[in-house]
mmCIF file of all heavy atoms in Angstrom:
data_model
loop_
_atom_site.group_PDB
_atom_site.id
_atom_site.type_symbol
_atom_site.label_atom_id
_atom_site.label_comp_id
_atom_site.label_asym_id
_atom_site.label_seq_id
_atom_site.Cartn_x
_atom_site.Cartn_y
_atom_site.Cartn_z
ATOM 1 N N ASP A 1 7.176 101.748 29.561
ATOM 2 C CA ASP A 1 6.157 102.771 29.320
ATOM 3 C C ASP A 1 6.480 104.064 30.048
ATOM 4 O O ASP A 1 6.257 105.163 29.525
ATOM 5 C CB ASP A 1 4.774 102.266 29.761
ATOM 6 C CG ASP A 1 4.236 101.179 28.840
ATOM 7 O OD1 ASP A 1 4.643 101.156 27.659
ATOM 8 O OD2 ASP A 1 3.426 100.360 29.300
ATOM 9 N N SER A 2 7.020 103.931 31.270
ATOM 10 C CA SER A 2 7.283 105.116 32.088
ATOM 11 C C SER A 2 8.264 106.062 31.408
ATOM 12 O O SER A 2 8.023 107.271 31.298
ATOM 13 C CB SER A 2 7.821 104.691 33.456
ATOM 14 O OG SER A 2 8.177 105.814 34.230
ATOM 15 N N TYR A 3 9.374 105.523 30.927
ATOM 16 C CA TYR A 3 10.386 106.384 30.318
ATOM 17 C C TYR A 3 9.922 106.942 28.964
ATOM 18 O O TYR A 3 10.288 108.058 28.590
ATOM 19 C CB TYR A 3 11.702 105.627 30.161
ATOM 20 C CG TYR A 3 12.541 105.666 31.412
ATOM 21 C CD1 TYR A 3 12.754 104.527 32.176
ATOM 22 C CD2 TYR A 3 13.119 106.858 31.848
ATOM 23 C CE1 TYR A 3 13.526 104.561 33.325
ATOM 24 C CE2 TYR A 3 13.886 106.897 33.002
ATOM 25 C CZ TYR A 3 14.090 105.748 33.738
ATOM 26 O OH TYR A 3 14.848 105.806 34.876
ATOM 27 N N GLN A 4 9.136 106.156 28.222
ATOM 28 C CA GLN A 4 8.595 106.685 26.972
ATOM 29 C C GLN A 4 7.724 107.910 27.232
ATOM 30 O O GLN A 4 7.821 108.929 26.527
ATOM 31 C CB GLN A 4 7.774 105.604 26.254
ATOM 32 C CG GLN A 4 8.604 104.478 25.681
ATOM 33 C CD GLN A 4 7.756 103.484 24.904
ATOM 34 O OE1 GLN A 4 7.066 103.831 23.957
ATOM 35 N NE2 GLN A 4 7.802 102.232 25.327
ATOM 36 N N GLN A 5 6.876 107.828 28.258
ATOM 37 C CA GLN A 5 6.013 108.954 28.585
ATOM 38 C C GLN A 5 6.822 110.139 29.110
ATOM 39 O O GLN A 5 6.518 111.301 28.802
ATOM 40 C CB GLN A 5 4.969 108.519 29.617
ATOM 41 C CG GLN A 5 3.993 107.495 29.065
ATOM 42 C CD GLN A 5 2.957 107.055 30.078
ATOM 43 O OE1 GLN A 5 2.157 107.858 30.545
ATOM 44 N NE2 GLN A 5 2.961 105.773 30.428
ATOM 45 N N LEU A 6 7.868 109.854 29.885
ATOM 46 C CA LEU A 6 8.731 110.924 30.381
ATOM 47 C C LEU A 6 9.375 111.682 29.222
ATOM 48 O O LEU A 6 9.375 112.921 29.193
ATOM 49 C CB LEU A 6 9.819 110.337 31.278
ATOM 50 C CG LEU A 6 10.932 111.300 31.713
ATOM 51 C CD1 LEU A 6 10.381 112.401 32.608
ATOM 52 C CD2 LEU A 6 12.056 110.544 32.410
ATOM 53 N N ILE A 7 9.936 110.949 28.264
ATOM 54 C CA ILE A 7 10.592 111.590 27.124
ATOM 55 C C ILE A 7 9.593 112.425 26.327
ATOM 56 O O ILE A 7 9.904 113.548 25.899
ATOM 57 C CB ILE A 7 11.270 110.524 26.240
ATOM 58 C CG1 ILE A 7 12.452 109.897 26.993
ATOM 59 C CG2 ILE A 7 11.744 111.135 24.924
ATOM 60 C CD1 ILE A 7 13.057 108.691 26.296
ATOM 61 N N CYS A 8 8.374 111.922 26.141
ATOM 62 C CA CYS A 8 7.345 112.690 25.415
ATOM 63 C C CYS A 8 7.026 113.995 26.135
ATOM 64 O O CYS A 8 6.891 115.057 25.501
ATOM 65 C CB CYS A 8 6.079 111.852 25.252
ATOM 66 S SG CYS A 8 6.229 110.516 24.042
ATOM 67 N N GLU A 9 6.907 113.934 27.457
ATOM 68 C CA GLU A 9 6.616 115.147 28.238
ATOM 69 C C GLU A 9 7.765 116.153 28.135
ATOM 70 O O GLU A 9 7.551 117.359 28.007
ATOM 71 C CB GLU A 9 6.374 114.784 29.710
ATOM 72 C CG GLU A 9 5.094 114.005 29.968
ATOM 73 C CD GLU A 9 3.853 114.836 29.651
ATOM 74 O OE1 GLU A 9 3.855 116.047 29.952
ATOM 75 O OE2 GLU A 9 2.906 114.270 29.083
ATOM 76 N N LEU A 10 8.995 115.665 28.189
ATOM 77 C CA LEU A 10 10.150 116.555 28.094
ATOM 78 C C LEU A 10 10.242 117.196 26.716
ATOM 79 O O LEU A 10 10.568 118.382 26.584
ATOM 80 C CB LEU A 10 11.430 115.784 28.398
ATOM 81 C CG LEU A 10 11.639 115.364 29.856
ATOM 82 C CD1 LEU A 10 12.823 114.425 29.975
ATOM 83 C CD2 LEU A 10 11.838 116.585 30.752
ATOM 84 N N MET A 11 9.924 116.442 25.677
ATOM 85 C CA MET A 11 9.983 116.994 24.327
ATOM 86 C C MET A 11 8.928 118.075 24.127
ATOM 87 O O MET A 11 9.152 119.046 23.398
ATOM 88 C CB MET A 11 9.819 115.883 23.290
ATOM 89 C CG MET A 11 10.962 114.884 23.248
ATOM 90 S SD MET A 11 12.600 115.649 23.040
ATOM 91 C CE MET A 11 12.432 116.366 21.414
ATOM 92 N N LYS A 12 7.782 117.932 24.776
ATOM 93 C CA LYS A 12 6.760 118.995 24.709
ATOM 94 C C LYS A 12 7.309 120.293 25.282
ATOM 95 O O LYS A 12 7.106 121.379 24.722
ATOM 96 C CB LYS A 12 5.516 118.575 25.500
ATOM 97 C CG LYS A 12 4.690 117.473 24.860
ATOM 98 C CD LYS A 12 3.509 117.117 25.755
ATOM 99 C CE LYS A 12 2.745 115.923 25.209
ATOM 100 N NZ LYS A 12 1.640 115.517 26.135
ATOM 101 N N LEU A 13 8.025 120.201 26.423
ATOM 102 C CA LEU A 13 8.616 121.393 27.030
ATOM 103 C C LEU A 13 9.723 121.964 26.146
ATOM 104 O O LEU A 13 9.869 123.179 26.016
ATOM 105 C CB LEU A 13 9.179 121.054 28.414
ATOM 106 C CG LEU A 13 8.162 120.700 29.501
ATOM 107 C CD1 LEU A 13 8.893 120.336 30.784
ATOM 108 C CD2 LEU A 13 7.202 121.851 29.753
ATOM 109 N N ALA A 14 10.509 121.076 25.534
ATOM 110 C CA ALA A 14 11.624 121.534 24.704
ATOM 111 C C ALA A 14 11.137 122.348 23.514
ATOM 112 O O ALA A 14 11.812 123.289 23.083
ATOM 113 C CB ALA A 14 12.447 120.341 24.222
ATOM 114 N N ARG A 15 9.980 121.984 22.987
ATOM 115 C CA ARG A 15 9.448 122.732 21.843
ATOM 116 C C ARG A 15 9.008 124.140 22.222
ATOM 117 O O ARG A 15 8.823 124.996 21.359
ATOM 118 C CB ARG A 15 8.284 121.953 21.217
ATOM 119 C CG ARG A 15 8.727 120.723 20.434
ATOM 120 C CD ARG A 15 7.602 120.158 19.591
ATOM 121 N NE ARG A 15 6.596 119.491 20.410
ATOM 122 C CZ ARG A 15 6.623 118.196 20.709
ATOM 123 N NH1 ARG A 15 7.630 117.443 20.272
ATOM 124 N NH2 ARG A 15 5.673 117.653 21.434
ATOM 125 N N GLN A 16 8.870 124.375 23.542
ATOM 126 C CA GLN A 16 8.441 125.689 24.011
ATOM 127 C C GLN A 16 9.605 126.603 24.364
ATOM 128 O O GLN A 16 9.403 127.799 24.576
ATOM 129 C CB GLN A 16 7.541 125.533 25.247
ATOM 130 C CG GLN A 16 6.304 124.672 25.027
ATOM 131 C CD GLN A 16 5.592 124.356 26.333
ATOM 132 O OE1 GLN A 16 5.774 125.034 27.338
ATOM 133 N NE2 GLN A 16 4.788 123.308 26.316
ATOM 134 N N SER A 17 10.809 126.065 24.429
ATOM 135 C CA SER A 17 11.937 126.856 24.925
ATOM 136 C C SER A 17 13.242 126.423 24.281
ATOM 137 O O SER A 17 13.614 125.249 24.344
ATOM 138 C CB SER A 17 12.046 126.718 26.451
ATOM 139 O OG SER A 17 13.230 127.291 26.928
ATOM 140 N N ASP A 18 13.954 127.360 23.656
ATOM 141 C CA ASP A 18 15.241 127.050 23.040
ATOM 142 C C ASP A 18 16.267 126.617 24.089
ATOM 143 O O ASP A 18 17.153 125.805 23.800
ATOM 144 C CB ASP A 18 15.777 128.275 22.287
ATOM 145 C CG ASP A 18 14.951 128.583 21.053
ATOM 146 O OD1 ASP A 18 14.242 127.681 20.565
ATOM 147 O OD2 ASP A 18 14.996 129.738 20.588
ATOM 148 N N GLU A 19 16.165 127.175 25.320
ATOM 149 C CA GLU A 19 17.130 126.826 26.365
ATOM 150 C C GLU A 19 17.058 125.355 26.755
ATOM 151 O O GLU A 19 18.006 124.799 27.303
ATOM 152 C CB GLU A 19 16.918 127.673 27.622
ATOM 153 C CG GLU A 19 17.167 129.151 27.444
ATOM 154 C CD GLU A 19 15.880 129.921 27.182
ATOM 155 O OE1 GLU A 19 14.891 129.309 26.711
ATOM 156 O OE2 GLU A 19 15.857 131.126 27.446
ATOM 157 N N LEU A 20 15.914 124.727 26.474
ATOM 158 C CA LEU A 20 15.711 123.350 26.911
ATOM 159 C C LEU A 20 16.022 122.322 25.841
ATOM 160 O O LEU A 20 16.206 121.145 26.147
ATOM 161 C CB LEU A 20 14.260 123.154 27.364
ATOM 162 C CG LEU A 20 13.786 123.991 28.546
ATOM 163 C CD1 LEU A 20 12.328 123.704 28.831
ATOM 164 C CD2 LEU A 20 14.621 123.691 29.769
ATOM 165 N N CYS A 21 16.084 122.739 24.591
ATOM 166 C CA CYS A 21 16.120 121.782 23.488
ATOM 167 C C CYS A 21 17.300 120.821 23.587
ATOM 168 O O CYS A 21 17.121 119.597 23.589
ATOM 169 C CB CYS A 21 16.144 122.532 22.168
ATOM 170 S SG CYS A 21 15.950 121.430 20.742
ATOM 171 N N ASP A 22 18.534 121.344 23.684
ATOM 172 C CA ASP A 22 19.708 120.465 23.685
ATOM 173 C C ASP A 22 19.773 119.582 24.921
ATOM 174 O O ASP A 22 20.064 118.386 24.830
ATOM 175 C CB ASP A 22 20.989 121.296 23.580
ATOM 176 C CG ASP A 22 21.208 121.836 22.182
ATOM 177 O OD1 ASP A 22 20.572 121.315 21.251
ATOM 178 O OD2 ASP A 22 21.999 122.786 22.029
ATOM 179 N N GLN A 23 19.495 120.166 26.103
ATOM 180 C CA GLN A 23 19.617 119.360 27.307
ATOM 181 C C GLN A 23 18.541 118.287 27.373
ATOM 182 O O GLN A 23 18.796 117.195 27.889
ATOM 183 C CB GLN A 23 19.597 120.235 28.561
ATOM 184 C CG GLN A 23 18.323 121.029 28.786
ATOM 185 C CD GLN A 23 18.391 121.804 30.088
ATOM 186 O OE1 GLN A 23 18.737 121.267 31.126
ATOM 187 N NE2 GLN A 23 18.079 123.082 30.024
ATOM 188 N N VAL A 24 17.357 118.540 26.822
ATOM 189 C CA VAL A 24 16.330 117.509 26.775
ATOM 190 C C VAL A 24 16.776 116.360 25.872
ATOM 191 O O VAL A 24 16.549 115.186 26.181
ATOM 192 C CB VAL A 24 14.981 118.095 26.288
ATOM 193 C CG1 VAL A 24 14.022 116.979 25.873
ATOM 194 C CG2 VAL A 24 14.344 118.928 27.395
ATOM 195 N N LYS A 25 17.465 116.676 24.769
ATOM 196 C CA LYS A 25 17.963 115.619 23.885
ATOM 197 C C LYS A 25 18.965 114.734 24.627
ATOM 198 O O LYS A 25 18.899 113.506 24.570
ATOM 199 C CB LYS A 25 18.616 116.237 22.654
ATOM 200 C CG LYS A 25 17.636 116.895 21.689
ATOM 201 C CD LYS A 25 18.372 117.533 20.524
ATOM 202 C CE LYS A 25 17.417 118.238 19.578
ATOM 203 N NZ LYS A 25 18.146 118.915 18.468
ATOM 204 N N TYR A 26 19.925 115.357 25.314
ATOM 205 C CA TYR A 26 20.923 114.578 26.049
ATOM 206 C C TYR A 26 20.272 113.769 27.175
ATOM 207 O O TYR A 26 20.611 112.601 27.393
ATOM 208 C CB TYR A 26 21.994 115.501 26.627
ATOM 209 C CG TYR A 26 23.042 115.927 25.626
ATOM 210 C CD1 TYR A 26 23.146 117.247 25.230
ATOM 211 C CD2 TYR A 26 23.930 115.002 25.093
ATOM 212 C CE1 TYR A 26 24.110 117.644 24.308
ATOM 213 C CE2 TYR A 26 24.893 115.386 24.174
ATOM 214 C CZ TYR A 26 24.980 116.712 23.788
ATOM 215 O OH TYR A 26 25.928 117.092 22.888
ATOM 216 N N TYR A 27 19.359 114.399 27.907
ATOM 217 C CA TYR A 27 18.697 113.695 29.007
ATOM 218 C C TYR A 27 17.862 112.538 28.476
ATOM 219 O O TYR A 27 17.775 111.483 29.112
ATOM 220 C CB TYR A 27 17.811 114.665 29.786
ATOM 221 C CG TYR A 27 17.266 114.066 31.069
ATOM 222 C CD1 TYR A 27 18.010 114.086 32.234
ATOM 223 C CD2 TYR A 27 16.010 113.470 31.102
ATOM 224 C CE1 TYR A 27 17.522 113.529 33.407
ATOM 225 C CE2 TYR A 27 15.518 112.914 32.267
ATOM 226 C CZ TYR A 27 16.268 112.950 33.416
ATOM 227 O OH TYR A 27 15.785 112.399 34.562
ATOM 228 N N SER A 28 17.258 112.708 27.305
ATOM 229 C CA SER A 28 16.443 111.641 26.725
ATOM 230 C C SER A 28 17.293 110.431 26.373
ATOM 231 O O SER A 28 16.846 109.288 26.483
ATOM 232 C CB SER A 28 15.704 112.159 25.484
ATOM 233 O OG SER A 28 14.773 113.164 25.832
ATOM 234 N N VAL A 29 18.539 110.660 25.934
ATOM 235 C CA VAL A 29 19.447 109.539 25.674
ATOM 236 C C VAL A 29 19.707 108.774 26.970
ATOM 237 O O VAL A 29 19.675 107.535 27.007
ATOM 238 C CB VAL A 29 20.776 110.049 25.071
ATOM 239 C CG1 VAL A 29 21.799 108.924 25.001
ATOM 240 C CG2 VAL A 29 20.530 110.630 23.687
ATOM 241 N N ALA A 30 19.954 109.518 28.059
ATOM 242 C CA ALA A 30 20.175 108.870 29.356
ATOM 243 C C ALA A 30 18.916 108.130 29.807
ATOM 244 O O ALA A 30 18.993 107.034 30.366
ATOM 245 C CB ALA A 30 20.567 109.921 30.401
ATOM 246 N N ALA A 31 17.741 108.731 29.567
ATOM 247 C CA ALA A 31 16.483 108.098 29.956
ATOM 248 C C ALA A 31 16.246 106.817 29.163
ATOM 249 O O ALA A 31 15.783 105.805 29.713
ATOM 250 C CB ALA A 31 15.322 109.071 29.752
ATOM 251 N N ALA A 32 16.584 106.845 27.869
ATOM 252 C CA ALA A 32 16.421 105.644 27.052
ATOM 253 C C ALA A 32 17.336 104.529 27.547
ATOM 254 O O ALA A 32 16.968 103.349 27.575
ATOM 255 C CB ALA A 32 16.715 105.968 25.593
ATOM 256 N N ARG A 33 18.538 104.905 27.973
ATOM 257 C CA ARG A 33 19.480 103.927 28.525
ATOM 258 C C ARG A 33 18.915 103.313 29.805
ATOM 259 O O ARG A 33 18.985 102.101 30.016
ATOM 260 C CB ARG A 33 20.826 104.612 28.786
ATOM 261 C CG ARG A 33 21.899 103.679 29.296
ATOM 262 C CD ARG A 33 23.201 104.433 29.540
ATOM 263 N NE ARG A 33 23.734 104.991 28.305
ATOM 264 C CZ ARG A 33 23.754 106.295 28.014
ATOM 265 N NH1 ARG A 33 23.263 107.168 28.886
ATOM 266 N NH2 ARG A 33 24.256 106.722 26.891
ATOM 267 N N ASP A 34 18.352 104.163 30.678
ATOM 268 C CA ASP A 34 17.772 103.650 31.921
ATOM 269 C C ASP A 34 16.535 102.799 31.645
ATOM 270 O O ASP A 34 16.242 101.853 32.381
ATOM 271 C CB ASP A 34 17.414 104.809 32.852
ATOM 272 C CG ASP A 34 18.636 105.428 33.504
ATOM 273 O OD1 ASP A 34 19.668 104.738 33.579
ATOM 274 O OD2 ASP A 34 18.570 106.587 33.943
ATOM 275 N N MET A 35 15.792 103.150 30.596
ATOM 276 C CA MET A 35 14.631 102.348 30.208
ATOM 277 C C MET A 35 15.064 100.918 29.878
ATOM 278 O O MET A 35 14.435 99.942 30.301
ATOM 279 C CB MET A 35 13.934 102.973 29.004
ATOM 280 C CG MET A 35 12.757 102.160 28.472
ATOM 281 S SD MET A 35 11.969 102.969 27.056
ATOM 282 C CE MET A 35 13.233 102.703 25.802
#
């Protein structure tokens, strides 16, 4: 549950900023792996 909520929060930020979009995608892959 923790990592699912983390990824959702990061995706909300990514939708607000082009600078964040790609790195949030890569970080989310790492987060899913850690999950």
Side-chain angles (χ1 to χ4, degrees):
D1 289 334
S2 176
Y3 275 111
Q4 290 184 57
Q5 294 180 63
L6 171 65
I7 292 171
C8 287
E9 291 295 321
L10 289 171
M11 293 306 295
K12 289 178 186 176
L13 292 178
R15 287 192 287 269
Q16 302 170 20
S17 171
D18 291 340
E19 295 97 337
L20 298 178
C21 188
D22 285 343
Q23 62 177 311
V24 164
K25 290 178 182 177
Y26 280 114
Y27 189 85
S28 295
V29 171
R33 183 180 297 109
D34 285 338
M35 176 179 72

